[in-house]
């Protein structure tokens, strides 16, 4: 049975430059299909607030692959974050 990961990623920009930051928010074990895991992703996206966007205004949008984009309002110094579903292949 597949193990699905709900992952948040984005670019972290500092004075030293930019780097990609990825973290696993949830591991979905058990007998779930991809569509069932996408339902769990959507539930989390409704309540999730990325740490890097706390205190700023943003929009949440669903992409065609089922991932969710957290898009800061124009004029803010924050970068977008993505909440996506991935299948774990090896641990």
């Amino acid at each position: 049975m597949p193990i699905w990961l709900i992952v948040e990623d984005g670019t972290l920009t500092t004075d030293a430059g930019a780097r990609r930051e990825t973290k696993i928010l949830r591991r979905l074990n058990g007998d779930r299909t991809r569509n069932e895991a996408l339902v769990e992703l959507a539930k989390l996206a409704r309540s999730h607030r990325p740490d890097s966007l706390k205190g700023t205004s943003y929009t949440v949008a669903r992409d065609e692959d089922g991932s969710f984009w957290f898009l800061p309002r124009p004029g803010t110094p924050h970068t977008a974050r993505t909440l996506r579903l991935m299948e774990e292949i090896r641990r």
Side-chain angles (χ1 to χ4, degrees), residues 2 7 11 13 19-23 25 27-28 31 35-36 44-45 53 62 66 69 73 75 78:
V7 176
T11 303
T13 306
R19 67 178 169 86
R20 182 151 188 168
E21 179 181 61
T22 304
K23 61 182 170 180
L25 298 180
R27 182 174 265 108
L28 304 174
D31 190 20
N35 286 337
E36 290 169 334
L44 181 60
L53 295 179
R62 185 187 331 229
W69 287 77
R73 301 273 189 228
H78 304 282

Side-chain angles (χ1 to χ4, degrees), residues 3-83:
I3 296 175
W4 299 103
L5 305 175
I6 296 179
V7 176
E8 178 188 328
D9 68 349
T11 303
L12 181 63
T13 306
T14 65
D15 292 339
R19 67 178 169 86
R20 182 151 188 168
E21 179 181 61
T22 304
K23 61 182 170 180
I24 298 171
L25 298 180
R26 200 173 283 172
R27 182 174 265 108
L28 304 174
N29 296 315
D31 190 20
R32 287 191 174 99
T33 64
R34 177 174 168 74
N35 286 337
E36 290 169 334
L38 284 169
V39 169
E40 292 297 317
L41 174 66
K43 285 179 187 175
L44 181 60
R46 286 185 186 90
S47 62
H48 183 68
R49 178 177 282 266
D51 290 339
S52 64
L53 295 179
K54 287 195 173 159
T56 190
S57 183
Y58 61 89
T59 298
V60 180
R62 185 187 331 229
D63 207 340
E64 62 188 58
D65 65 355
S67 61
F68 290 85
W69 287 77
F70 294 77
L71 306 164
R73 301 273 189 228
T76 64
H78 304 282
T79 59
R81 305 293 292 181
T82 307
L83 204 58

